[in-house]
């Protein structure tokens, strides 16, 4: 079967088209935008670049998010007072 476009060039064009949005996502998340260049791994091994980018986004601590507040101390339950005592 003849391809209209060689898969290598198709993956390269797709990776180049996705680079700018990924760059902005990383920058707005407060991460180093150079991580978006991992998308070009997909040129050699399809879908691996997308997986690597997602793993970096999922497992990175996003510094732009506010820190979680410390948990409130638990209150001790009141003792039950009986009417006859």
């Amino acid at each position: 079967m003849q391809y209209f476009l060689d898969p290598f060039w198709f993956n390269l064009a797709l990776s180049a088209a996705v680079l700018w949005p990924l760059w902005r996502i990383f920058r707005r998340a407060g991460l180093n935008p150079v991580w978006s260049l991992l998308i070009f791994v997909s040129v050699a091994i399809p879908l691996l670049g997308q997986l690597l980018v997602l793993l970096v986004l999922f497992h990175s601590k996003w510094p732009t998010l506010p820190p979680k507040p410390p948990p409130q101390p638990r209150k001790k339950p009141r003792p039950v007072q009986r009417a006859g005592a």
Side-chain angles (χ1 to χ4, degrees):
M1 177 178 242
Q2 177 101 15
Y3 288 109
F4 174 72
L5 195 61
D6 188 31
F8 172 80
W9 295 110
F10 179 75
N11 287 337
L12 184 66
L14 191 63
S15 297
V18 173
L19 181 64
W20 178 248
L22 279 176
W23 192 275
R24 290 181 50 107
I25 289 170
F26 275 101
R27 192 175 59 200
R28 286 186 180 203
L31 301 170
N32 191 351
V34 177
W35 282 108
S36 62
L37 295 175
L38 282 174
I39 199 71
F40 285 106
V41 174
S42 290
V43 175
I45 303 170
L47 298 179
L48 182 62
Q50 289 94 337
L51 179 66
L52 291 174
V53 167
L54 287 175
L55 286 174
V56 169
L57 283 173
F58 288 161
H59 294 291
S60 295
K61 185 167 179 93
W62 290 30
T64 56
L65 293 176
K68 289 184 178 180
Q72 298 291 331
R74 296 187 75 175
K75 295 180 181 177
K76 293 182 180 179
R78 295 183 187 176
V80 179
Q81 294 181 357
R82 297 185 181 170

